[in-house]
Amino acid sequence: MAGSGDTFHDKSKGKDVRTSNIVAAKAIANAVRTSLGPRGMDKLLQLENGEILISNDGATILKNMKVLHPAAKMLVDLSQSQDIEAGDGTTTVVVLAGALLNACSSLLAKGIHPTAIANSFLNAADKACEILEGISKPVELGDRESLLASVDTCLSSKVVGQNSEVLSPIAVDSVLGVLEDVEKSRSVDLKDIRLVQQVGGTVDDTELVEGLVLTKGSSKTGGGPSSMNNAKIALIQYCLSAPKTDMDNNVVVSDYAAMDRILREERKYILQQCKAIKKSGANVLLIQKSILRDAYNELSLHFLAKMGILVVTDIDRADIEFICRTLGCTPVAHPEQMKADTLGNAEMVADVFMEGGSNKVVKFTGVKSAGNTMTVLMRGSNEFVLGEAERSLHDAQCVVRSLVKKRYLIAGGGAAETEASLKLMEYSNELTGMDAYCFQAFADALEVIPYTLAENAGMKPIEVVTELRKKHAEGVAGAGINVKKGRVTDMYELNVVQPLLVSTSAIQLATETVCMLMKVDDLVVVARA
């Protein structure tokens, strides 16, 4: 029995848990490490439902992984956080976290306390971000060439990198198109940009539409029009069909006269509704889906066709808000509310046949008050290409959004990380004690990015990183890895640039996650009640 005043020190459990966490998290980092950079490999994922997914986007790969270990799940969440914050660098942030955890292992082996490591790493991350801000170059949103260069850098590592000449201008124009004020705006809601997928054609057929595209063609029942100039657009949320009671019922009709009367009343009811739509001045009608009863029937489509009204059916409830903001119309919930002031406007509404596909879409162009929304019509030969093209374009739009938030660019190709590593190493020489060791370990960990880029490009990583250090020591802050030529060159001359926010966010988020893992000394499994 322990004597009074004695304390029990069992440090072995905390050490074991910490080691377990580091090993699990590093396994996740190693899984996506080969996907980093323009020469990174793609991952073929087989989902639970049997579908196949091909991607080299870190966030997409990790999101679809079945991860059980809690520490490994933290790295999955880290990748998602980077995706939300910056949109790009989702693989970088995980690889960087893995390298920092590796550095933690060696520091722990030297007997440095986990809390001391965590505090030093946070200070080192702040210092690294400060260094990156010092070497960054300001950019104006009016400088189209710089914006396109940063988007090209983002797309270079994607499956659809060869289509960057088409996708880069679309990414830049779509984001700048939804800004209220290019000079003053500091945030962008990418929900204002709608990505519409259509199988058929190639990725090069992708186009930006300043208006709206609906994936279902117009209704041809009754021989209605398939195009309309100077369109007045109505969006209805009520049903153009015979009314029903709230409960299930049966109507027993005993003679033909009663049946005729029912059909006549139904016809009269629907005709009144169609006349109200025509009276408002609408010549294009959008009908929302209904789950309670038929949103429309053959009779109503026949009347509308005779009145020369173009009809698009089965509008999803989730799309209503976007359609209203784009077209400037107001959803109408009751026939009596159908007035001219609820209508939206467009110069042209037409069915467009998708070449290489088998279906039509309805395209609204010449929208007078577009309400700061954009639509991108994505094309691709199959579902895999389309899915990856959409994810890549979203990442490219996030890069432009990052530049709207923080209008600075830095060199890519591992240049920023090498410069931060070199400067941190110099700064660590001025420090004393444990901080000096931790800062040096942090600086070494940053070099994992250029090392991995070189490794994935089939170059000799140690030689390349040594050459990079030499160039940066000589004062070439933009020196990075040119994977196409297989040598170290100035990234600014090649226009290989990326937003400052991508790098600073990756360093800070990775460091915070690593520090959180460092402070964990026990794993408690909570049993279900």
Side-chain angles (χ1 to χ4, degrees), residues 173-468:
D173 294 338
S174 61
V175 174
L176 295 184
V178 299
L179 286 178
E180 291 181 8
D181 188 332
V182 174
E183 295 301 319
K184 294 178 182 176
S185 293
R186 284 283 180 252
S187 64
V188 185
D189 187 358
L190 293 182
K191 289 178 183 174
D192 291 340
I193 305 167
R194 192 163 182 249
L195 302 179
V196 177
Q197 295 185 14
Q198 283 296 307
V199 175
T202 64
V203 177
D204 285 334
D205 297 327
T206 298
E207 60 177 309
L208 180 66
V209 180
E210 291 190 19
L212 184 68
V213 174
L214 297 176
T215 50
K216 187 180 177 184
S218 62
S219 175
K220 295 293 176 296
T221 307
S226 59
S227 65
M228 189 67 65
N229 286 316
N230 296 322
K232 304 286 185 190
I233 305 152
L235 172 60
I236 63 169
Q237 294 181 303
Y238 58 87
C239 299
L240 287 177
S241 59
K244 287 183 179 178
T245 56
D246 292 337
M247 295 178 290
D248 286 338
N249 62 84
N250 291 313
V251 178
V252 179
V253 182
S254 54
D255 61 347
Y256 285 113
M259 188 184 291
D260 283 344
R261 195 162 63 249
I262 291 171
L263 291 172
R264 198 163 53 247
E265 285 297 324
E266 183 181 331
R267 187 184 176 91
K268 183 180 172 185
Y269 177 81
I270 292 172
L271 184 59
Q272 279 179 342
Q273 289 187 327
C274 293
K275 281 181 176 176
I277 292 166
K278 183 67 177 175
K279 188 179 177 183
S280 69
N283 52 18
V284 175
L285 182 66
L286 310 179
I287 304 176
Q288 184 184 312
K289 270 184 186 175
S290 173
I291 54 171
L292 295 175
R293 61 189 173 103
D294 296 335
Y296 57 92
N297 59 17
E298 298 294 322
L299 190 61
S300 58
L301 293 178
H302 167 75
F303 284 141
L304 291 169
K306 292 294 181 193
M307 293 172 182
I309 296 173
L310 188 151
V311 182
V312 183
T313 58
D314 296 338
I315 304 293
D316 275 325
R317 191 182 188 86
D319 297 334
I320 295 291
E321 187 192 349
F322 185 87
I323 291 170
C324 291
R325 276 198 297 138
T326 304
L327 301 177
C329 58
T330 306
V332 179
H334 195 273
E336 290 178 4
Q337 296 169 351
M338 182 61 77
K339 303 282 192 304
D341 57 1
T342 61
L343 305 181
N345 299 289
E347 286 179 16
M348 184 73 183
V349 178
D351 269 354
V352 180
F353 183 75
M354 294 283 98
E355 290 183 20
S358 57
N359 58 330
K360 291 183 179 182
V361 297
V362 181
K363 198 181 277 189
F364 296 73
T365 50
V367 179
K368 289 172 185 172
S369 55
N372 290 347
T373 60
M374 287 278 183
T375 303
V376 179
L377 182 57
M378 304 286 302
R379 304 300 307 281
S381 54
N382 56 47
E383 294 288 349
F384 306 134
V385 174
L386 257 181
E388 186 60 16
E390 184 182 2
R391 285 188 291 275
S392 301
L393 184 63
H394 180 264
D395 283 359
Q397 289 170 337
C398 287
V399 165
V400 185
R401 184 185 67 180
S402 297
L403 288 171
V404 172
K405 286 183 182 176
K406 210 170 189 176
R407 299 181 185 187
Y408 289 92
L409 284 171
I410 52 171
E417 289 81 5
T418 309
E419 181 70 14
S421 174
L422 189 75
K423 290 281 199 294
L424 272 178
M425 197 63 86
E426 289 173 5
Y427 180 72
S428 69
N429 294 331
E430 301 170 15
L431 301 171
T432 56
M434 289 185 290
D435 275 351
Y437 279 111
C438 294
F439 268 69
Q440 283 170 7
F442 192 94
D444 284 336
L446 287 177
E447 287 186 348
V448 75
I449 303 300
Y451 186 95
T452 307
L453 283 173
E455 198 175 41
N456 289 348
M459 299 156 72
K460 295 177 181 175
I462 295 173
E463 286 181 18
V464 171
V465 172
T466 307
E467 176 70 13
L468 262 179

Side-chain angles (χ1 to χ4, degrees), residues 159-176:
V159 177
V160 292
Q162 70 271 19
N163 306 104
S164 59
E165 286 184 7
V166 175
L167 297 180
S168 294
I170 287 175
V172 172
D173 294 338
S174 61
V175 174
L176 295 184

Side-chain angles (χ1 to χ4, degrees), residues 35-103:
S35 299
L36 186 70
R39 292 285 185 269
M41 297 293 180
D42 300 333
K43 300 280 186 262
L44 180 65
L45 306 171
Q46 185 168 15
L47 307 181
E48 285 182 342
N49 57 4
E51 286 185 11
I52 303 294
L53 187 68
I54 302 171
S55 181
N56 69 354
D57 178 47
T60 306
I61 295 165
L62 292 177
K63 186 170 68 177
N64 290 292
M65 267 188 183
K66 212 167 190 178
V67 179
L68 299 176
H69 198 285
K73 281 181 180 174
M74 285 177 71
L75 255 68
V76 175
D77 293 340
L78 165 68
S79 180
Q80 301 301 321
S81 300
Q82 175 73 2
D83 197 29
I84 293 164
E85 178 64 23
D88 195 21
T90 51
T91 310
T92 304
V93 73
V94 177
V95 172
L96 193 55
L100 289 172
L101 286 167
N102 208 25

Side-chain angles (χ1 to χ4, degrees), residues 124-150:
D126 290 339
K127 185 67 181 172
C129 293
E130 195 181 302
I131 292 163
L132 292 180
E133 284 171 12
I135 63 166
S136 63
K137 295 185 176 181
V139 64
E140 292 296 325
L141 293 183
D143 183 1
R144 188 176 173 81
E145 291 304 314
S146 295
L147 296 184
L148 287 173
S150 63

